[in-house]
Amino acid sequence: PELINITAFANALKIKPQDFLAQLGELGFEGVTLDSLMAGETAALVAQEYGYEPTVEAGDKQDLKPRPPPEDASLLPSRPPVVTIMGHVDHGKTTILDYLRQSSVAAQEHGGITQHIGAFSVKLSSGKQITFLDTPGHAAFLAMRQRGANVTDIVVLVVAADDSVKPQTLEALKHARAAKVPIIVAINKIDKGGARIDAVKSDLAGAGVEIEDFGGDVQVVCVSGKTGQGMDDLEENILTLSEILDHRSEVDGPAEGWVLESSLKPTGKVATVLVKRGTLRPGDYIAAGLTWAKIRQLRNEAGVDIAEAPPGTPVEILGWKDLPAAGDQVIQSPDEDRAKTAVSYREGLRDREKDATEYEAITEARKALQ
Ligand code: GDP
Ligand code: MG
């Protein structure tokens, strides 16, 4: 962060350094000496007290930023859609995900998935792929949305045929609408005796879901996560919608993505990253939040090393200096230096924000005493 020496600061304000020290004391700063350093942001606030309008130099060029959106996305290659499954508790989300996970690319090629990495890809007979996010909790999604990003392209709303629309069904609908993510309804447990498909449809319509049966454009698929009935249809419907939405991404250029999960494993600091643009490869440098990595290994959901992760691919990344947080944006850096510079720039920003908050608290306290 930018720092200013107190003596230099006093000189800049045209105040005798000793007088300035006393005045800083009155402002609530403790233990300040002529040799102390003050963060630029704090100094800016102090300078305002003296009637100045300082500007803190922006270090934007020191940060790593996502590239601007493509001028013409229609020229880019298609990428797999990224799908999240939502719905009321016990309506069958986990069962459906488990069923789909068995047909995952990695499970097919490597005899089963040995670990849970928070996301997986399914390959259909057509060769096309769908990526399912299996990240528990919505914290990461909220963090990403606050940064204006939708990691999810499509929400599959699961509604149990024997239980119909429930509070968390409506909650999920609210989230999908707020994020402007299109939905597909999966009416689950159709193998059960008490299944009432028509009742579920009219309840959905009552909740404002414009389902196709009633002239809307929201697809409804009847499935059983238990028997697998209708699961092919669900996958086909997802792909059809994805083709209509025309999901495309650059496969070249600096890669970008999002941290879905991170944890300390016996193999080291590991983060599951969903690549959204560009392609990541071992040896690449990336920054995420307040840390960076030289990618040591890329692994798929079966724990198998892969040579590259193109857009739409969920991948485990090893090689982090520290654990990044779920919801952090990942941006590729041309080299180690730029990755480190970006991280220290961000640390500086964070420290200055902290200083400014502390200064505000001091000012408030001082006002209260007057
Ligand atoms: P979640 O809370 O939405 O993840 O729901 P689960 O996947 O844990 O399922 C809740 C219960 O419903 C479990 O006992 C499942 O075995 C059962 N279940 C899920 N899907 C089906 C289905 O298609 N048919 C039947 N009969 N039971 C199901
Ligand atoms: Mg569950």
Side-chain angles (χ1 to χ4, degrees):
E2 299 82 358
L3 295 169
I4 187 165
N5 168 287
I6 295 298
T7 308
F9 191 16
N11 291 334
L13 295 172
K14 302 185 183 67
I15 304 169
K16 277 189 198 149
Q18 284 300 341
D19 293 349
F20 187 48
L21 270 191
Q23 289 162 16
L24 283 178
E26 282 167 27
L27 283 171
F29 288 92
E30 281 172 17
V32 182
T33 70
L34 290 177
D35 296 324
S36 300
L37 296 173
M38 186 180 276
E41 195 76 17
T42 312
L45 291 165
V46 172
Q48 279 172 20
E49 298 270 328
Y50 290 88
Y52 292 91
E53 279 180 33
T55 53
V56 177
E57 229 173 88
D60 272 5
K61 56 184 183 304
Q62 297 173 18
D63 203 358
L64 281 169
K65 293 261 165 74
R67 355 173 208 171
E71 290 197 357
D72 188 356
S74 69
L75 299 173
L76 301 173
S78 305
R79 62 161 176 84
V82 179
V83 178
T84 304
I85 299 200
M86 299 177 89
H88 195 70
V89 65
D90 283 345
H91 279 198
K93 299 179 293 295
T94 303
T95 308
I96 289 174
L97 277 168
D98 284 347
Y99 186 93
L100 292 165
R101 195 182 284 107
Q102 300 318 312
S103 53
S104 126
V105 182
Q108 298 291 305
E109 292 170 0
H110 302 285
I113 293 183
T114 51
Q115 54 172 3
H116 174 107
I117 73 162
F120 60 90
S121 286
V122 169
K123 199 186 272 174
L124 280 74
S125 47
S126 59
K128 297 206 164 134
Q129 253 171 259
I130 304 172
T131 297
F132 289 95
L133 300 188
D134 186 7
T135 312
H138 295 296
F141 293 95
L142 285 179
M144 290 180 263
R145 239 178 59 208
Q146 276 164 5
R147 293 174 172 88
N150 273 341
V151 269
T152 304
D153 299 312
I154 295 169
V155 163
V156 169
L157 183 66
V158 176
V159 187
D162 60 345
D163 204 26
S164 199
V165 174
K166 283 282 165 318
Q168 286 161 26
T169 317
L170 300 174
E171 191 68 18
L173 265 176
K174 211 173 76 185
H175 278 299
R177 280 181 185 140
K180 297 194 172 66
V181 180
I183 64 164
I184 291 176
V185 174
I187 301 183
N188 189 35
K189 308 198 188 187
I190 53 162
D191 60 292
K192 273 183 102 170
R196 295 174 298 121
I197 293 166
D198 288 337
V200 176
K201 285 181 181 174
S202 52
D203 286 352
L204 283 166
V209 184
E210 299 181 347
I211 59 173
E212 55 188 0
D213 301 69
F214 301 141
D217 54 13
V218 175
Q219 306 177 81
V220 179
V221 195
C222 293
V223 301
S224 165
K226 202 166 186 175
T227 67
Q229 191 184 339
M231 292 302 242
D232 289 348
D233 292 340
L234 178 60
E235 292 174 342
E236 285 304 329
N237 285 25
I238 291 169
L239 276 187
T240 306
L241 181 56
S242 174
E243 271 157 29
I244 293 167
L245 297 169
D246 206 22
H247 296 127
R248 295 172 183 276
S249 279
E250 300 92 337
V251 287
D252 304 315
E256 290 165 29
W258 296 91
V259 175
L260 300 176
E261 287 185 341
S262 66
S263 62
L264 200 56
K265 292 191 179 171
T267 41
K269 301 180 186 87
V270 180
T272 301
V273 169
L274 177 70
V275 181
K276 298 270 342 209
R277 301 171 91 181
T279 303
L280 285 178
R281 298 180 179 85
D284 286 347
Y285 293 93
I286 49 176
L290 295 176
T291 186
W292 63 279
K294 178 182 184 184
I295 300 178
R296 197 170 75 224
Q297 257 182 304
L298 289 175
R299 295 194 305 215
N300 67 15
E301 62 264 35
V304 174
D305 276 355
I306 53 175
E308 53 179 36
T313 313
V315 68
E316 266 201 334
I317 294 181
L318 283 86
W320 298 96
K321 300 299 141 191
D322 289 300
L323 266 192
D328 279 346
Q329 185 166 27
V330 175
I331 299 179
Q332 188 178 358
S333 169
D335 51 43
E336 179 171 332
D337 252 17
R338 292 276 290 119
K340 281 183 176 167
T341 307
V343 170
S344 60
Y345 171 73
R346 292 171 188 183
E347 282 169 346
L349 273 188
R350 180 202 54 188
D351 292 346
R352 288 211 303 271
E353 270 165 26
K354 216 171 74 195
D355 283 344
T357 315
E358 274 167 18
Y359 177 76
E360 256 167 47
I362 290 169
T363 312
E364 286 302 312
R366 199 156 47 86
K367 273 192 200 140
L369 285 174
Q370 280 167 358

